[in-house]
Amino acid sequence: MNLMERLGLRNPIVLAPMAGGVGTPALVAAVSNAGGLGSLGAAYLTPQQIVDAGREVRELTDRPFAINLFAPQALPELSETELALAIDELAPLHAALELPTPSLPAQAQEDFQEQLEAVLEARPAVFSFAFGPLPAARLEDVRRSGGLTLGTATSVPEALALEAGGVDAVVVQGSAAGGHRGGWMQDDLADTLELVWAARENTRLPLIAAGGLMTRQHVKNALEAGAGLAQCGTAFLRAHEAGTSAPYRQALAVADAGDTTLTTGFSGRPARGLKNLVTEQVRQPLPYPYQNALTRALRAAATRQGRPEFLSLWAGVGVWEGRDGSAMAILESLCP
Ligand SMILES: Cc1cc2nc3c(=O)[nH]c(=O)nc-3n(C[C@H](O)[C@H](O)[C@H](O)COP(=O)(O)O)c2cc1C
């Protein structure tokens, strides 16, 4: 299947889903209006927020767009000691922002099934997901609503597992990618092009390359390696339509090559972002999704107080090549 034709895209660019405020409906719609595929990162949204955001996108574009969720995670057992260590480690950071000692909220993650029902109600052209495979019945629900399903793989075995599970296409995420590692079983932290080549040899499904695609030439290389589309996140972080906060934007604007690292400090799952106090100091995070819930107050306060050293500054290795501008101008700069 040719994804561009199937989705009626004019450009082979997918705006990466970016949960947590960056991927606003305005950004999603701007990319779709410019002929790419905008993706709404809905993983942290409540079902009602997903329905509302989907409606907002539709008010701004009649072009296809995607909605993205995180596959549900079994909640790990937490010991008292583990919890105490994680809280002790965050306590001085909280104190620096004049916040009370952190505590775990009653609900660490949204209910996936309810989120998925909201996605089905929003009827996006594409439903993408990360952090695992989904049961065939859920994929069938999406297909019945008219949507294509995209899973995320960080290695060939994960791509094969997604294919066996019945997805329509696979996002292959190389190690340069900003944000969370999207796999669940085996992360090869591979070079994006090498992963595309290897996946191309082993699966017949359409591939979407992600990770470090910051220029026209990068996108061209990914397509030549065998990807049908290129998914770009970091390139759009400084788009005018993005919800990127002011301290986050400032940190991105001065970032150099080599300023990113993989950290589990914010969420308990590995994710790539700019190095800061949290990536340097947090060494004993709780497993996902607990650490994510535990650091939510810190991240919100840091945004309000303009303190990037406490923020999850998700960014890919190519961050130094990023620029500000309209989403349309950024998309045009990526089109081969
Ligand atoms: C700020 C940010 C948030 C992200 N959030 C998500 C997400 O919610 N779901 C998802 O599947 N991928 C997410 N990603 C990863 C992207 O889908 C993609 O793999 C990555 O942006 C590609 O690499 P690049 O950042 O070098 O372009 C996020 C990336 C960034 C930079």
Side-chain angles (χ1 to χ4, degrees):
M1 175 181 33
N2 178 320
L3 285 174
M4 273 189 71
E5 277 175 22
R6 167 75 200 260
L7 292 166
L9 306 181
R10 292 192 304 276
N11 297 309
I13 307 294
V14 179
L15 164 72
M18 292 188 273
V22 170
T24 55
L27 179 62
V28 174
V31 169
S32 289
N33 281 332
L37 181 72
S39 313
L40 184 75
Y44 304 139
L45 301 183
T46 64
Q48 188 57 50
Q49 287 170 326
I50 294 174
V51 171
D52 293 345
R55 190 175 302 131
E56 244 183 279
V57 175
R58 267 196 208 293
E59 279 165 11
L60 298 169
T61 185
D62 55 6
R63 309 286 310 155
F65 65 96
I67 301 186
N68 172 274
L69 292 177
F70 293 154
Q73 308 294 302
L75 286 179
E77 286 286 317
L78 274 192
S79 72
E80 290 293 326
T81 324
E82 230 181 335
L83 182 59
L85 282 172
I87 288 179
D88 279 356
E89 216 174 27
L90 290 175
L93 307 181
H94 269 232
L97 293 178
E98 292 178 357
L99 290 173
T101 307
S103 60
L104 266 187
Q107 196 187 352
Q109 63 184 350
E110 292 296 329
D111 181 282
F112 176 81
Q113 191 51 35
E114 289 174 9
Q115 286 182 310
L116 184 62
E117 275 155 28
V119 170
L120 296 176
E121 195 180 326
R123 292 174 62 95
V126 172
F127 167 64
S128 68
F129 55 95
F131 296 3
L134 285 179
R138 299 289 77 76
L139 300 179
E140 202 41 52
D141 290 341
V142 175
R143 227 166 269 131
R144 256 200 310 274
S145 80
L148 287 180
T149 55
L150 311 186
T152 307
T154 55
S155 62
V156 171
E158 288 181 350
L160 293 177
L162 289 168
E163 181 172 35
V167 298
D168 295 309
V170 178
V171 177
V172 290
Q173 188 192 40
S175 75
H180 280 102
R181 304 298 305 148
W184 71 98
M185 171 170 81
Q186 175 185 325
D187 189 345
D188 284 352
L189 288 173
D191 172 79
T192 300
L193 292 184
E194 284 176 16
L195 188 53
V196 174
W197 281 317
R200 185 67 297 145
E201 293 217 330
N202 286 281
T203 142
R204 298 159 63 99
L205 288 182
L207 301 174
I208 295 135
L213 307 177
M214 299 294 294
T215 67
R216 207 184 301 287
Q217 187 62 46
H218 294 158
V219 170
K220 193 163 176 273
N221 294 345
L223 301 182
E224 280 171 7
L229 298 172
Q231 176 160 303
C232 306
T234 300
F236 287 100
L237 284 174
R238 293 164 65 202
H240 299 155
E241 297 89 339
T244 317
S245 68
Y248 190 177
R249 274 181 199 268
Q250 281 149 18
L252 292 166
V254 297
D256 266 328
D259 282 356
T260 71
T261 186
L262 281 175
T263 180
T264 52
F266 286 104
S267 72
R269 281 186 70 103
R272 185 177 293 284
L274 297 178
K275 292 175 194 163
N276 66 4
L277 200 63
V278 175
T279 69
E280 300 287 320
Q281 290 195 355
V282 177
R283 290 284 167 264
Q284 293 177 304
L286 297 177
Y288 182 89
Y290 292 119
Q291 186 75 2
N292 199 47
L294 196 62
T295 63
R296 201 167 285 146
L298 179 76
R299 289 178 280 127
T303 302
R304 282 196 305 272
Q305 298 180 28
R307 302 287 295 274
E309 65 272 37
F310 301 100
L311 274 179
S312 49
L313 303 167
W314 301 144
V317 167
V319 60
W320 61 279
E321 293 177 282
R323 62 182 185 95
D324 60 18
S326 68
M328 188 194 267
I330 293 172
L331 181 132
E332 278 169 2
S333 76
L334 293 166
C335 286

